[in-house]
Amino acid sequence: MTNVSCALTIAGTDPSGGAGIHADLKTFQELKCYGMSIITSVVAQNTTGVQAVHHLPKEMISQQLDSVLSDIPVHAFKTGMIANIEMMQVIKQKIETISAPYVMDPVMVATSGDALIDVEARSYLREHLLPLTSIVTPNIPEAEFITGKPIHTITDMQDAANEIVHNYGAGAALVKGGHLSGEAIDFLYDGETMHTFTAKRIDTKNTHGTGCTYSAAITAYLSQGTPLPKAVEKAKYFVTKAIERSFALGSGNGPTNHFAIRMNEVEQ
Ligand SMILES: Nc1ncnc2c1ncn2[C@@H]1O[C@H](COP(=O)(O)OP(=O)(O)OP(=O)(O)O)[C@@H](O)[C@H]1O
Ligand SMILES: Cc1ncc(CO)c(N)n1
């Protein structure tokens, strides 16, 4: 027996290394988890956008899940890009058997603006997967889709978090303010308390994969037994450092820096 924490991500790929499965595994590694991954779609993308997408057959997604679940414990897991309803149905069936925290990043559109999931799959995600979550981490446009209401203010964000838990059945909702101006404020509503996480806004265009990195960090901390609000607090610190020290790589939105905290430690 070993006491390592095992974290699993179910998501699409990013060959340029900044988002999706790649961001998730790098984050798991930095936060000292044993990382595992189920690939849903192979995405040809980079810092400028998405060039092509190839979806894996649902049978292959199912088989990857069987390979992991029949062999290795999962202490927390996350989902990211799940492109269509067929995939969602298979994933739903499998994850219902996992008794570990479930973090959903309700990925719909990439930082570049490219759509990553079918329009009709958005509603399936909301109706069938959201009620299974321990926490969902929508950005503003995703929270607007889930609630069907526009979000312009901090009060709108808090109302959305509340509604996503009470009306749509999420275990908890973290509504992220990356798309608003001013401080980078996120609200976590866990069914009882509205928690606020604030960081200074960093003046950078290098935000490719911030949502993936943040939700992967939450998953990592939950897999290690950290309680939810503390897991989000620590993940917010991690993602803020990763943005602060992001890489000016590529000609579009550069990637976050998954070893920013380690670099800090080295320099101090
Ligand atoms: N410029 C910034 N400075 C500081 N924090 C930021 C900045 N942009 C985003 N954040 C923070 O990064 C985290 C991810 O939020 P964001 O809203 O960007 O997610 P997202 O849109 O899902 O990401 P992605 O671009 O990967 O889809 C949140 O904690 C948000 O507050
Ligand atoms: C595979 C994948 N998942 C999520 C995002 C959102 O950043 C992305 N760009 N690519």
Side-chain angles (χ1 to χ4, degrees):
M1 271 295 271
T2 165
N3 59 5
V4 69
S5 296
C6 300
L8 173 69
T9 172
I10 303 170
T13 67
D14 173 6
S16 70
I21 291 275
H22 304 257
D24 296 342
L25 289 177
K26 290 177 188 183
T27 302
F28 292 162
Q29 183 78 10
E30 276 310 299
L31 298 179
K32 302 185 172 46
C33 290
Y34 179 75
M36 301 181 284
S37 60
I38 309 295
I39 293 173
T40 53
S41 300
V42 178
V43 185
Q45 63 171 315
N46 57 27
T47 65
T48 69
V50 174
Q51 290 80 44
V53 182
H54 174 76
H55 299 318
L56 265 65
K58 66 176 190 305
E59 293 76 16
M60 193 58 206
I61 296 171
S62 175
Q63 280 170 3
Q64 291 180 77
L65 277 158
D66 286 343
S67 298
V68 172
L69 300 179
S70 64
D71 197 32
I72 298 181
V74 172
H75 298 114
F77 66 101
K78 67 161 275 190
T79 57
M81 174 190 179
I82 313 177
N84 58 47
I85 294 180
E86 272 197 338
M87 289 185 190
M88 288 182 183
Q89 284 167 335
V90 166
I91 290 168
K92 176 177 186 290
Q93 207 188 357
K94 298 289 176 192
I95 65 179
E96 275 172 335
T97 67
I98 309 176
S99 54
Y102 171 20
V103 179
M104 178 198 283
D105 183 4
V107 170
M108 294 178 191
V109 174
T111 311
S112 55
D114 295 287
L116 292 172
I117 80 169
D118 291 352
V119 171
E120 64 273 15
R122 296 175 177 194
S123 309
Y124 188 94
L125 188 81
R126 176 176 60 193
E127 270 122 58
H128 300 278
L129 293 181
L130 196 56
L132 304 178
T133 61
S134 308
I135 175 173
V136 61
T137 63
N139 60 25
I140 302 260
E142 291 157 355
E144 287 180 326
F145 168 76
I146 295 170
T147 61
K149 294 178 185 163
I151 298 175
H152 300 298
T153 65
I154 276 171
T155 312
D156 294 341
M157 288 173 70
Q158 292 173 315
D159 289 347
N162 198 300
E163 212 175 300
I164 291 168
V165 172
H166 290 303
N167 298 359
Y168 295 94
L174 177 67
V175 178
K176 302 172 295 188
H179 294 240
L180 287 185
S181 52
E183 285 183 310
I185 302 187
D186 309 330
F187 291 102
L188 169 69
Y189 182 65
D190 57 13
E192 287 180 3
T193 308
M194 188 68 71
H195 304 267
T196 309
F197 303 95
T198 309
K200 66 174 190 310
R201 181 163 296 272
I202 300 148
D203 183 18
T204 179
K205 68 179 173 92
N206 301 325
T207 55
H208 177 58
T210 50
C212 304
T213 300
Y214 195 16
S215 55
I218 296 169
T219 309
Y221 288 122
L222 289 176
S223 80
Q224 292 160 347
T226 309
L228 185 61
K230 193 71 189 171
V232 175
E233 182 189 319
K234 292 174 78 159
K236 175 76 172 171
Y237 179 78
F238 183 82
V239 75
T240 304
K241 287 286 169 208
I243 298 169
E244 206 172 278
R245 294 175 156 246
S246 56
F247 296 117
L249 287 173
S251 55
N253 300 108
T256 57
N257 175 348
H258 298 96
F259 49 86
I261 292 182
R262 208 183 337 161
M263 286 165 76
N264 259 359
E265 281 165 5
V266 170
E267 283 174 18
Q268 273 164 13

